[in-house]
Amino acid sequence: MLSILARFLIATAGLCLAACAVDSRRAPVLPAPETTRNAVRTADLASGVVEYELFVPDDGRPAPLVIILHGFSRSRANMRDWGVRLSQEGFVAVVPTLPTWANHRRNAASVVELMDHLCADRTLPIDRTRIALVGHSAGGLCAFLAAADNDRVNLWIGLDPVDRYRQAVEAAPRVRCRVVALLAEPSGCNKRSNWTAVQYAPQSRALTLVVTGAVHSDCESPTDRIAELACGKSDPSRRQTFKQYTIAALRDHLLQDPRAQAMLAAAGADGKVRRFMPSQDGLPAASGDGATAGSSED
C-alpha cells in the first residue's frame, strides 16, 4: 500500500498537471510576439537631431505609418512596447525621443520633419496615404500640434493628453484629421483633465473615452517606478485597455476593419471605459446617452 506521504505527492502532482492543462487552453492577453525587425536610427532634422526606433512587420507589404510620442521628461524607452505591439498589428511603428524637454512647438515641428523623412525613404514599406500620430501626455499635445495644418495626418490619438498654455485649443480649428482621445481619471499629472481641445475642433469626428480607474502612468509601456510614484501605480489590465482601444481606432480608420469599428461603436456598453462630454465649466461630465462625444483629459 502507498504511504500517506506518497498519496499526497501523487495527488499534488495530478492537481499541478490539471492546472497546467487548463492554463495551456487559455488565450493569452496579448498574441504571442511575432518576429519584428527593429532598429535604432538617427535623423538629423532642421529642428534637431532625433533618435528613433523603427518597428517593421515581417511581411514587407506597404503598411500605415504610426508615430508614437512619449510624455514630458520621458523618452522613447517609455513607449517602446507600443512600437512592438503596433508592428504586430501590421503597422510600421516609429518611436522617437523628442528633441526638447518642453518646447512643444519645436517638438511638433520635429515630428512633421520626421514624418517627411520617413516617407522619403523608399526602402521602408510605408503606405504614405495612411499616417497616424499617437502621443502620451505632452506627447499628445505635440502630436496634436503636428496634425494641425497637415493634410498627411489621417488620425490623431491622444493617450491622456495634456494641454499647455491652451496651445491645443488654439490649434484645434486647424486640425482636420480624425481625433480620438483615451483618458485617465482626473489627477495632478493630467492637470485635472484639462484636455478641452476637441470642443474647438467640430470639423473632426471626435471620440473621447475615459479608461475607468486609470492613472496617467497606465499609458506608458513600459513605465517605471518614477512615473508610478508621481502619478499612481499602473495596472496591466488598464494598460491593455488603452492598447485595445488604440489598436481599434487605428484599425478602424486606417485599415477599415469592421470588427474594430464595431468595438468602438459598442464602447458605451464596455465597463472598462466610459464616454465623456465636456461640461460648461470645461471639466468632463458623464454622457448619459452613450453618444460619441468630445472631452478633456490628460
Side-chain angles (χ1 to χ4, degrees), residues 49-53 66-83 86 94-104 106-108 110-111 114 133-144 156-162 189 195 216-224 227 298:
V49 176
V50 172
E51 186 180 74
Y52 62 95
E53 196 157 0
V66 183
I67 300 177
I68 305 124
L69 306 175
H70 61 81
F72 172 73
S73 77
R74 311 297 276 166
S75 75
R76 62 181 175 80
N78 302 109
M79 303 300 283
R80 184 183 187 277
D81 290 352
W82 278 95
L86 294 184
V94 173
V95 187
T97 295
L98 295 169
T100 79
W101 215 39
N103 188 331
H104 306 300
R106 181 177 164 192
N107 285 341
S110 76
V111 172
L114 178 60
L133 302 179
V134 178
H136 172 226
S137 191
L141 169 59
C142 169
F144 198 76
W156 171 88
I157 301 177
L159 304 174
D160 208 17
V162 179
C189 283
W195 190 261
H216 200 56
S217 55
D218 284 329
C219 301
E220 291 189 328
S221 184
T223 192
D224 57 27
D298 132 324

Side-chain angles (χ1 to χ4, degrees), residues 8 18 38 47 56 72 77 99 139 153 161 164 180 205 216 239 268 273 291-292:
F8 173 78
N38 64 284
S47 56
V56 180
F72 172 73
V153 178
R164 187 73 171 165
V180 176
R205 293 182 298 123
H216 200 56
R239 184 180 299 112
V273 299
T292 299

